[in-house]
Amino acid sequence: MGNQALLACGIAAGPVFTLAYLLEGASRVDYKPFRHPVSSLSLGRAGWVQTVNFLFVGLLSLILAVGLWHVGPSRWGPLLMGTWAVGLLGAGVFQTDPVSGYPPGTPDHLQGHTRAGALHDLFSLIGFLALRTPIAMTSGAASR
């Protein structure tokens, strides 16, 4: 696969992820996007759609990281993008725990983490930290 094809995967990743969770969230009567995290869409009968979304976009992001490694002047971008990809893949492999009363019938407050839910949260945190790092680096916070 050529470098342009690898980088094109990265161009597709964000819109694919966003479109998938927006459509899936809109199709769930009890899902409230300002109350329930996107991960909650992986719960329930149609939860496989969000799980596939995490895994597919994680794979696209990993392919982008390889493309960036080949063409980029820096190694930080590919490493951070690869970390984001691992976060998405982990979020797809390990299902989140129900939170904020979703799916319907579950308590508003989490009684305790399952092993899978804790791993889902850990991978998500790692991924989000990887996304946040370039912002800090380019805003000048890293140079102080």
Side-chain angles (χ1 to χ4, degrees):
M1 190 180 283
N3 289 335
Q4 287 184 330
L6 297 172
L7 297 174
C9 287
I11 292 170
V16 166
F17 187 72
T18 303
L19 184 62
Y21 76 72
L22 286 175
L23 289 174
E24 185 61 20
S27 72
R28 307 265 189 110
V29 176
D30 296 315
Y31 178 77
K32 295 175 180 57
F34 293 111
R35 179 179 165 112
H36 306 119
V38 170
S39 294
S40 293
L41 293 170
S42 66
L43 301 170
R45 201 177 86 250
W48 66 270
V49 175
Q50 182 59 29
T51 298
V52 168
N53 190 26
F54 280 131
L55 296 172
F56 182 65
V57 173
L59 182 60
L60 288 176
S61 299
L62 194 57
I63 293 169
L64 170 62
V66 171
L68 290 172
W69 187 269
H70 288 192
V71 301
S74 169
R75 295 298 180 220
W76 281 111
L79 290 172
L80 291 168
M81 183 54 62
T83 303
W84 165 246
V86 169
L88 283 171
L89 292 167
V93 170
F94 300 105
Q95 191 175 60
T96 191
D97 291 318
V99 294
S100 302
Y102 191 86
T106 59
D108 273 346
H109 300 288
L110 185 62
Q111 304 302 318
H113 276 293
T114 62
R115 181 174 287 133
L119 287 169
H120 175 91
D121 290 351
L122 177 63
F123 275 100
S124 298
L125 175 65
I126 290 168
F128 284 123
L129 287 174
L131 278 184
R132 199 244 178 260
T133 300
I135 295 167
M137 292 173 77
T138 58
S139 69
S143 63
R144 291 185 198 146

